[in-house]
Amino acid sequence: THQDGEILERIVSSRKQFAQEMGLVVPIVMVRDNIQLKPGEYQILLKGNVIGHGSLMPDYFLAMDSQDSADSIDGIRTTEPAYGLPAIWIRPNQREEASFMGYTVVNCATVVVTHLTKVIQEHASDLLGRQECQNLIDGIKRDAPKVVEEVMAPDRLSLGEVVKVLQNLLTEAVSVRDLTTIFETIADNCRMIKHPDALTRYVRKALGRGIIKKYLVADGTLTVVTLDRAVEDLMVSGLHQRDDGSTSLQIDPEIAQRILNGIASTVENFQTTGTTPILLCGSMIRWDLKQLLNRFIPGLVVLAFDEIPAGTKTRS
């Protein structure tokens, strides 16, 4: 369609923006025809596997109801592919009317690029392998060769262990752009601690200001939910620490389910605040609690108290 050129331009722009924000260069996105797909269908593939798909209506616009309007515009009902929101395909001559009614109206190119951007963010850790990590390391070697030498010394960390630390950060949408701070923190701790999961804890603390920046509201406040002290103590008592600094959480499945149910119901309150659901907990249990919650409440951000910079206002 006539939007092909716009899609290609915006994919390039999206890749640049992701590299600037997250510090990771996204591989070139190949755009190909696939005669096995129905007209208007598209797929997003990573290493040959489908990680996203959707269906478009060329020459139509997609209207999403951002204000929960009582009035509905005439059109073909559908689901917006990136976030699964209810939406309506409308004709070009309905754009002005839809905007006036409170709908957000976008073209097909925007639908595809929004979806692509989201799946890149969700699979960022899959895009970082040993070679990509080595390219990043080569970049900071010019400015900070000593810290790279210290981290990559024979008795310290392997390239694979450094990759895992960076993947841990990207999995939780933490930028790896400030690679100097990341390496300085690893260097400070990798003499005694070797496990990437344990090292990630220290790196996140060092990157705290950058981590919370996107969750702050206009007045600089962070809206969070916290665990009851008794619940946190219970989880700490179930934490088993290994010699390499890594941990495992062992608590009664029934109690774990009660904790999950409690968190899930509390997280629903964030619909009234309009902010990202954030759970704040102690740094010792943050990693294991996040792994537990991932399976049940995947969108929940879990932050540790020591990741919040001094002076940050929190609303619990």
Side-chain angles (χ1 to χ4, degrees), residues 94-112:
Q94 296 173 282
R95 285 179 69 185
E96 211 169 298
E97 180 194 354
S99 297
F100 182 74
M101 290 169 69
Y103 285 87
T104 300
V105 182
V106 297
N107 64 6
C108 287
T110 303
V111 174
V112 173

Side-chain angles (χ1 to χ4, degrees), residues 79-215:
T79 301
E80 187 275 333
Y83 296 94
L85 303 170
I88 302 171
W89 287 111
I90 61 171
R91 295 190 176 278
N93 61 8
Q94 296 173 282
R95 285 179 69 185
E96 211 169 298
E97 180 194 354
S99 297
F100 182 74
M101 290 169 69
Y103 285 87
T104 300
V105 182
V106 297
N107 64 6
C108 287
T110 303
V111 174
V112 173
V113 174
T114 300
H115 197 179
L116 177 66
T117 303
K118 181 171 182 278
V119 296
I120 286 173
Q121 289 168 342
E122 288 174 344
H123 293 82
S125 62
D126 296 325
L127 300 172
L128 182 82
R130 281 169 170 76
Q131 188 55 57
E132 290 78 14
C133 183
Q134 188 61 57
N135 296 343
L136 292 176
I137 292 170
D138 291 342
I140 67 160
K141 259 184 186 173
R142 292 187 291 271
D143 302 320
K146 286 294 177 191
V147 71
V148 174
E149 282 174 29
E150 193 173 341
V151 171
M152 308 302 292
D155 62 334
R156 299 295 169 82
L157 299 187
S158 67
L159 180 60
E161 287 166 327
V162 174
V163 168
K164 190 69 176 72
V165 172
L166 299 184
Q167 286 177 336
N168 283 345
L169 296 171
L170 291 168
T171 296
E172 294 190 68
V174 176
S175 174
V176 297
R177 190 177 176 190
D178 187 2
L179 209 57
T180 304
T181 296
I182 292 170
F183 264 69
E184 289 281 2
T185 309
I186 293 173
D188 289 342
N189 295 282
C190 67
R191 187 187 298 274
M192 301 296 293
I193 297 167
K194 305 293 183 190
H195 200 284
D197 296 351
L199 287 169
T200 303
R201 183 174 134 209
Y202 293 96
V203 172
R204 284 180 59 98
K205 182 180 176 182
L207 298 175
R209 197 169 298 281
I211 290 175
I212 70 159
K213 186 170 63 175
K214 60 184 170 185
Y215 304 124

Side-chain angles (χ1 to χ4, degrees), residues 30 47 73 85 234 242 265 278 292:
M30 306 291 290
K47 300 175 183 175
I73 194 162
L85 303 170
L234 179 74
R242 305 184 188 98
S265 62
I278 296 172
L292 178 67

Side-chain angles (χ1 to χ4, degrees), residues 6-297:
E6 183 187 346
I7 287 178
L8 296 174
E9 282 177 23
R10 291 184 59 181
I11 286 173
V12 171
S13 172
S14 176
R15 286 177 63 233
K16 280 182 182 172
Q17 188 178 350
F18 186 82
Q20 286 168 349
E21 289 176 2
M22 299 302 292
L24 176 66
V25 177
V26 177
I28 290 171
V29 178
M30 306 291 290
V31 180
R32 294 196 187 97
D33 279 337
N34 185 341
I35 58 170
Q36 294 175 320
L37 296 177
K38 294 175 187 171
E41 275 191 347
Y42 68 89
Q43 290 181 337
I44 302 170
L45 281 73
L46 175 63
K47 300 175 183 175
N49 299 309
V50 177
I51 55 171
H53 62 87
S55 187
L56 306 171
M57 289 192 67
D59 303 322
Y60 279 70
F61 286 80
L62 192 67
M64 290 161 289
D65 192 354
S66 54
Q67 299 174 358
D68 206 17
S69 306
D71 298 326
S72 177
I73 194 162
D74 290 335
I76 300 163
R77 293 194 173 277
T78 185
T79 301
E80 187 275 333
Y83 296 94
L85 303 170
I88 302 171
W89 287 111
I90 61 171
R91 295 190 176 278
N93 61 8
Q94 296 173 282
R95 285 179 69 185
E96 211 169 298
E97 180 194 354
S99 297
F100 182 74
M101 290 169 69
Y103 285 87
T104 300
V105 182
V106 297
N107 64 6
C108 287
T110 303
V111 174
V112 173
V113 174
T114 300
H115 197 179
L116 177 66
T117 303
K118 181 171 182 278
V119 296
I120 286 173
Q121 289 168 342
E122 288 174 344
H123 293 82
S125 62
D126 296 325
L127 300 172
L128 182 82
R130 281 169 170 76
Q131 188 55 57
E132 290 78 14
C133 183
Q134 188 61 57
N135 296 343
L136 292 176
I137 292 170
D138 291 342
I140 67 160
K141 259 184 186 173
R142 292 187 291 271
D143 302 320
K146 286 294 177 191
V147 71
V148 174
E149 282 174 29
E150 193 173 341
V151 171
M152 308 302 292
D155 62 334
R156 299 295 169 82
L157 299 187
S158 67
L159 180 60
E161 287 166 327
V162 174
V163 168
K164 190 69 176 72
V165 172
L166 299 184
Q167 286 177 336
N168 283 345
L169 296 171
L170 291 168
T171 296
E172 294 190 68
V174 176
S175 174
V176 297
R177 190 177 176 190
D178 187 2
L179 209 57
T180 304
T181 296
I182 292 170
F183 264 69
E184 289 281 2
T185 309
I186 293 173
D188 289 342
N189 295 282
C190 67
R191 187 187 298 274
M192 301 296 293
I193 297 167
K194 305 293 183 190
H195 200 284
D197 296 351
L199 287 169
T200 303
R201 183 174 134 209
Y202 293 96
V203 172
R204 284 180 59 98
K205 182 180 176 182
L207 298 175
R209 197 169 298 281
I211 290 175
I212 70 159
K213 186 170 63 175
K214 60 184 170 185
Y215 304 124
L216 298 173
V217 294
D219 67 351
T221 303
L222 191 69
T223 305
V224 299
V225 59
T226 55
L227 294 174
D228 185 280
R229 185 59 196 263
V231 173
E232 185 135 351
D233 288 346
L234 179 74
M235 298 190 81
V236 170
S237 67
L239 207 62
H240 292 267
Q241 192 144 6
R242 305 184 188 98
D243 294 341
D244 59 5
S246 65
T247 54
S248 64
L249 185 63
Q250 296 173 6
I251 54 174
D252 182 274
E254 197 175 310
I255 293 173
Q257 190 59 56
R258 280 168 57 196
I259 292 170
L260 286 167
N261 292 345
I263 292 171
S265 62
T266 310
V267 162
E268 287 177 9
N269 296 339
F270 280 88
Q271 291 176 353
T272 60
T273 66
T275 56
T276 304
I278 296 172
L279 176 66
L280 197 57
C281 65
S283 61
M284 284 299 293
I285 63 167
R286 194 208 75 86
W287 174 261
D288 295 280
L289 181 57
K290 174 62 182 172
Q291 305 316 302
L292 178 67
L293 290 167
N294 250 353
R295 300 196 295 273
F296 303 98
I297 320 171

